[in-house]
Amino acid sequence: MTAPRKKRTATPTLSVERSFAAHGHRYIAGCDEVGRGALAGPVSVGIVVVDLDAATSLRGVRDSKLLLPAHREALVPRIRRWSVACAVGHATAAEIDALGLMAALRTAGARAWTSVLETVVPDAVILDGNHDWLSARSQGELFGTPDGGTAPVEPGGCTAPVHTRIKADLSCQSVAAASVLAKVERDALMVELAGRHPAFGWDGNKGYATGAHREAIDAAGPSEYHRKTWRLGSADRPGATHAEIGG
């Protein structure tokens, strides 16, 4: 009997990025997040900027979830040399609880964006997904907090045109590279935090919702790095947010 063939995943290219040259753009940023569905730790946003006048394809880049840890780590210095600018921004568990997930993603993205601007001003951004959580909001906009109050979102953040694209991390090299940087940096942070709270197994689960992680929360209670407005243990709590599964 012939063994079934493994499903091949398309290799991301710079085709989408290069399509922006027709609009007079040169510096294109790819953006992706990791940690959205974790129970503990930050959400992390990576941004990688390519120069369409100089960029060539970077071999080996894939969506971070499709790569082994050693391969992701080996790509980091190559991505940094390949890109015009790159950065990772984080928003803590406490910020996720206070602002809500979307505003926390925007906060993390604003931190990465500010770092990138020290080197170059991107002409446009390709954002993985179908919702633009990255663009800067006006100072007057407010978001609800868990206690029923409101929290102002700080002005600033991404002011370039943002183009959302579903599964951009599978088709766009800049976005795949951004996912790799964010994943490697967040994973390293969770391994470091595991040394302070070894019971939760963050060196292995990276803060995501494994059965063992939930059982450890049941036994020890949540740490200061857990998202306390989320459903954390094995039992539902009224009003708690159900975590998503993802990378």
Side-chain angles (χ1 to χ4, degrees):
M1 181 177 179
T2 304
R5 291 183 179 180
K6 292 183 178 179
K7 184 178 180 180
R8 298 185 65 182
T9 302
T11 302
T13 69
L14 288 172
S15 295
V16 175
E17 288 90 338
R18 287 178 175 141
S19 69
F20 285 85
H23 303 283
H25 297 328
R26 175 177 176 180
Y27 298 108
I28 304 302
C31 182
D32 201 4
E33 56 78 22
V34 298
R36 178 192 294 250
L39 303 181
V43 287
S44 303
V45 174
I47 297 178
V48 169
V49 185
V50 295
D51 178 356
L52 297 182
D53 285 355
T56 58
S57 184
L58 181 61
R59 180 180 294 182
V61 174
R62 300 286 190 282
D63 170 24
S64 62
K65 296 186 289 296
L66 302 178
L67 297 171
L68 295 173
H71 292 166
R72 290 195 294 261
E73 292 165 11
L75 278 170
V76 168
R78 295 177 58 207
I79 291 170
R80 294 191 182 282
R81 290 192 299 267
W82 174 72
S83 61
V84 178
C86 59
V88 178
H90 308 278
T92 67
E95 289 173 319
I96 294 169
D97 286 337
L99 298 172
L101 181 59
M102 290 299 104
L105 282 168
R106 186 175 299 111
T107 297
R111 288 166 180 160
W113 180 256
T114 298
S115 181
V116 160
L117 292 183
E118 295 176 3
T119 303
V120 68
V121 179
D123 297 309
V125 181
I126 304 169
L127 177 63
D128 183 61
N130 61 3
H131 174 65
D132 176 13
W133 44 259
L134 182 65
S135 292
R137 300 297 175 95
S138 66
Q139 186 172 6
E141 289 195 51
L142 300 175
F143 286 83
T145 60
D147 61 4
T150 55
V153 176
E154 296 181 3
C158 178
T159 53
V162 173
H163 301 263
T164 59
R165 185 178 179 90
I166 295 173
K167 298 188 184 301
D169 49 6
L170 298 179
S171 60
C172 305
Q173 278 198 353
S174 64
V175 179
S179 78
V180 169
L181 292 188
K183 177 69 173 167
V184 169
E185 193 163 313
R186 185 182 184 279
D187 280 1
L189 177 60
M190 295 310 297
V191 169
E192 178 185 345
L193 294 179
R196 306 179 201 177
H197 297 278
F200 300 113
W202 292 336
D203 51 338
N205 62 49
K206 305 303 187 292
Y208 286 95
T210 65
H213 189 184
R214 290 195 188 278
E215 289 171 4
I217 297 169
D218 287 339
S223 73
E224 66 269 35
Y225 301 107
H226 280 101
R227 303 172 188 180
K228 296 179 179 63
T229 54
W230 293 39
R231 181 172 71 85
L232 296 176
S234 57
D236 283 334
R237 293 185 294 105
T241 302
H242 285 250
E244 302 172 35
I245 300 300

